Amino acid sequence: MNQKIKKAVFAAILCVASNMAAQQVDDQQNVDGDSTKNQESENATIAVSNIKIDGQLMALETQEDGKFRLRDLEEAWRYDSLWLKELHSNAELFSDMLLEIQSAPEQEPAVLLDLPTDTLKARLARMDEKTPFNISYNPSLESVIKSFLTRRRDLMQRMMTASQFYFPLFEQELDNQDIPLEIKYLAIVESALNPKARSRVGAKGLWQFMYSTGKMYGLDVSSYVDERHDPIMATKAASKYLSRLYDIFGDWDLALAAYNSGPGNVNKAIRRSGGYENYWNIRPFLPRETAGYLPAFLATMYIFEYAEEHGLQYKRAERAYFETDTVHVKNLITFDQISKLVDIGKEELEMLNPAYKLNIIPKVEGKNYALRLPVSKIGKFVSNEEEIYAYAKKELDSMEKPLPSMIKAQDQIRYRVKSGDYLGKIAERYGVGVSQIKRWNGLRSNNLRVGQRLTIFPRKPYIAKKSSNNSSSKSNGKVADGSKIHTVRSGDSLWTISKKYPGVSIENLREWNGISGNNLKPGTKLKLCDCSS
C-alpha cells in the first residue's frame, strides 16, 4: 500500500470513528453511571476507537480540534490496576513470614495433612536432581513444609500471586550474575515480597540489606533515596553478595546461612560443630533465626514446585508483570507533579518507585536516577520532558516551604558529645542501637562526658532543617543579648524559649542541642548558639 492510499484510508477511518463518537459516549455513560461523572467534559469531546493500521491495533482518541493521541488499552489498564491492589494487600505479610522463620514448628504437634513422608522424600529427591542446593529429607524440613501448607497456607497462596510480578525481574538479574534462579525464593523468606519491608534491626527492602552491606555493594542511601528498596538495584546487589559468599564457602546452603547471619556466625558454627561444613550439621550452632532460614527457603521452593498437587489456589496474572519502562530524570521533580502531569495515581508511582523516600526524585551531580512508569505513560513523559521540567521548576520555585536539602548518610562520622546528650538520644538520632555505639567506641558503661568524641556508623542521615533565621544566628555565633545558655524552667517550651531570644528559632534550638521532639526537662541547659566546636 503506497503512502497516498494509506493516508486516504487512515483519514476515512478517522471520519468513521468520529461519526461513532456520540453513540459510544452515550453507551459508556449508561454503563458506568456515577463513575464517569468526573470525566463528562472529556467524554463529550473525546471518542475512543480501536483500529488496525498495517495489522497493528491502535487505540486512538479523536478530539474536537481533530488531533488524536495514543492511550493504553482499557483491558490492559484494568489488569495493572488489579495488580496494584494485590501487591498493596501483601505488604503486611512480612511480619507473618518473620514469625514463621523464628518459630520452631518441629516442636509443635503434628499437623493433619495428606502428605505421606515417603511421598515427600520422593519429591525432595526429584527437586535435588534439578538444583545446586542440597535438598534431602529430614524431620525438621518436613515440619516446616507442613506448617507452611496449613498454618501459612494463605500466605503461600498470596506469595504465588505476587511472585508473578517480581520473579521475572529477579530471574533476569540472577541470570546476569550466573546465580541459581532458585534464589528468587529467598526474597519471599526475606521480605514476603514487600519492597518497603524493614526488620527490627534496620535491614530493608526485598532482600533485607543492612546499611553497611548495601553501601558495600553499591546501594545509595541519602535523605531522598534508599536503593535498598529498589527491586532491580537491590537484586543486583544481592546477586553480587551471594556470589561472593559462595566463593567463600563453596556451598549454596552455607552461602544462604551467611547471607542471613553473616559469614562470621557461619564460621563460628563450623568451629563449634567440630569442623562440619554441612548446613544440617552446623544448624544447632547457628543463631535461632538462621536455624529456621534454610528450611523456610527449601519449604517455599517445594510448595511452588508442587502447588498443584496441594490444591493451592492463587490469582493467575493475565500478563506476567506490569509492562513498565524507565526514563532517566534530568531535573528534580516530585511524585505529586508526575501524578498530575502524566495522569497516574500516586500509589502506583510509589509501588513502582519504592526507592524514593520522600516521593521526590532528586537531581544530583554524577548520579542517574530513574523513574519507572507503565509503558502507556512513558511516551507521554518523554515527549513532553521540557514542558514537564519547566512546570516542576516553576512550581517548586514558588513554594513557600522549600524541599529538604540532599544529605547523604556517611559511612562513618565523628560525633562530639554535647551537654544534655545521652546514648539513647544519640542512637535514635542516627538510627543505630546503644549497644552498637558502645561496641564501636569500646564503652563499658553508658556514661558520657561533654566534648567526648564518638565514632558512629549511621543507618540514616541526620537532616538539619533549615530556617530563615539560621544564617544570621550562625554568623553571629550567639544571640542578641549575648547569652549562650538557657536553663529550662517549668512551663518552658521550644516555642517560648525561641521568643525570648531574638534571632533564635525552634529549629536552631533543635539542631544546636540535638533535640528531635518537643519534650524538655526542667534544669536542662540549652545552647543558644552554634557553639559545639
Side-chain angles (χ1 to χ4, degrees), residues 370-500:
L371 168 66
R372 181 171 292 276
L373 291 171
V375 290
S376 60
K377 307 293 183 183
I378 279 285
K380 186 183 291 188
F381 188 95
V382 173
S383 299
N384 299 279
E385 272 188 307
E386 289 187 13
E387 293 84 354
I388 287 173
Y389 292 134
Y391 171 85
K393 185 177 187 305
K394 182 179 179 181
E395 188 176 72
L396 292 172
D397 288 345
S398 65
M399 287 175 63
E400 182 179 348
K401 187 176 180 181
L403 296 176
S405 301
M406 180 76 175
I407 298 176
K408 294 201 171 191
Q410 303 166 27
D411 293 332
Q412 172 184 325
I413 64 165
R414 291 285 288 167
Y415 179 79
R416 188 171 185 266
V417 176
K418 306 179 183 74
S419 176
D421 275 347
Y422 54 91
L423 283 176
K425 182 165 75 173
I426 298 170
E428 182 182 2
R429 182 177 185 176
Y430 293 104
V432 298
V434 169
S435 60
Q436 290 176 303
I437 296 178
K438 291 173 72 174
R439 185 172 70 250
W440 294 331
N441 295 277
L443 302 179
R444 296 185 179 180
S445 71
N446 292 335
N447 297 328
L448 298 174
R449 65 180 187 278
V450 175
Q452 181 177 357
R453 296 282 184 178
L454 297 176
T455 297
I456 298 175
F457 298 86
R459 274 211 307 262
K460 66 181 182 183
Y462 173 67
I463 305 174
K465 297 179 181 177
K466 295 180 177 179
S467 77
S468 57
N469 296 321
N470 243 1
S471 58
S472 60
S473 57
K474 283 194 173 188
S475 61
N476 293 334
K478 57 183 180 181
V479 294
D481 67 356
S483 301
K484 287 192 175 183
I485 296 292
H486 174 88
T487 302
V488 177
R489 300 179 181 87
S490 180
D492 273 351
S493 68
L494 291 176
W495 185 82
T496 60
I497 295 170
S498 70
K499 293 302 178 186
K500 289 181 182 179

Side-chain angles (χ1 to χ4, degrees), residues 202-204 207-211 213-214 217 219 228 234 237-238 241 259:
K204 292 184 180 181
W207 298 95
Q208 289 293 281
F209 272 103
M210 294 296 290
Y211 169 75
T213 310
Y217 287 91
L219 296 179
R228 291 176 293 177
Y241 186 29
Y259 186 89

Side-chain angles (χ1 to χ4, degrees), residues 34-45:
D34 292 340
S35 66
T36 60
K37 284 182 180 178
N38 294 332
Q39 295 182 347
E40 283 179 352
S41 60
E42 182 178 334
N43 285 341
T45 57

Side-chain angles (χ1 to χ4, degrees), residues 197-442:
R198 173 174 180 159
S199 74
R200 58 182 175 76
V201 295
K204 292 184 180 181
L206 288 162
W207 298 95
Q208 289 293 281
F209 272 103
M210 294 296 290
Y211 169 75
S212 56
T213 310
K215 291 286 283 186
M216 189 185 306
Y217 287 91
L219 296 179
D220 183 28
V221 180
S222 72
S223 52
Y224 280 145
V225 181
D226 190 338
E227 290 181 343
R228 291 176 293 177
H229 294 301
D230 183 274
I232 293 179
M233 298 293 291
T235 304
K236 286 180 179 178
S239 298
K240 292 176 183 176
Y241 186 29
L242 285 161
S243 179
R244 176 64 181 142
L245 292 172
Y246 180 74
D247 289 343
I248 293 171
F249 293 102
D251 180 278
W252 281 112
D253 294 353
L254 297 184
L256 292 193
Y259 186 89
N260 178 252
S261 65
N265 281 324
V266 174
N267 284 329
K268 288 175 190 173
I270 290 173
R271 290 189 179 97
R272 288 168 180 161
S273 72
Y276 286 108
E277 295 184 4
N278 176 280
Y279 171 84
W280 296 101
N281 290 332
I282 70 169
R283 185 176 180 235
F285 305 97
L286 289 168
R288 177 172 178 169
E289 184 177 319
T290 310
Y293 188 72
L294 189 69
F297 169 76
L298 295 176
T300 302
M301 191 190 305
Y302 169 85
I303 289 169
F304 270 70
E305 185 80 10
Y306 290 98
E308 189 174 335
E309 284 79 354
H310 291 288
L312 290 170
Q313 304 294 322
Y314 59 95
K315 295 180 183 178
R316 295 188 182 275
E318 301 289 344
R319 297 183 292 177
Y321 54 92
F322 287 134
E323 292 180 0
T324 64
D325 200 356
T326 57
V327 57
H328 285 298
V329 173
K330 298 174 182 175
N331 287 304
L332 185 145
I333 192 167
T334 69
F335 280 15
D336 283 331
Q337 292 167 338
I338 297 167
S339 175
K340 189 189 306 180
L341 294 166
V342 187
D343 187 27
I344 181 173
K346 198 170 167 187
E347 272 195 346
E348 187 169 353
L349 280 172
E350 292 172 359
M351 176 59 69
L352 296 178
N353 300 273
Y356 299 111
K357 295 158 71 172
L358 304 178
N359 288 351
I360 298 168
I361 304 179
K363 174 70 172 72
V364 181
E365 192 67 33
K367 289 289 295 183
N368 284 322
Y369 292 116
L371 168 66
R372 181 171 292 276
L373 291 171
V375 290
S376 60
K377 307 293 183 183
I378 279 285
K380 186 183 291 188
F381 188 95
V382 173
S383 299
N384 299 279
E385 272 188 307
E386 289 187 13
E387 293 84 354
I388 287 173
Y389 292 134
Y391 171 85
K393 185 177 187 305
K394 182 179 179 181
E395 188 176 72
L396 292 172
D397 288 345
S398 65
M399 287 175 63
E400 182 179 348
K401 187 176 180 181
L403 296 176
S405 301
M406 180 76 175
I407 298 176
K408 294 201 171 191
Q410 303 166 27
D411 293 332
Q412 172 184 325
I413 64 165
R414 291 285 288 167
Y415 179 79
R416 188 171 185 266
V417 176
K418 306 179 183 74
S419 176
D421 275 347
Y422 54 91
L423 283 176
K425 182 165 75 173
I426 298 170
E428 182 182 2
R429 182 177 185 176
Y430 293 104
V432 298
V434 169
S435 60
Q436 290 176 303
I437 296 178
K438 291 173 72 174
R439 185 172 70 250
W440 294 331
N441 295 277

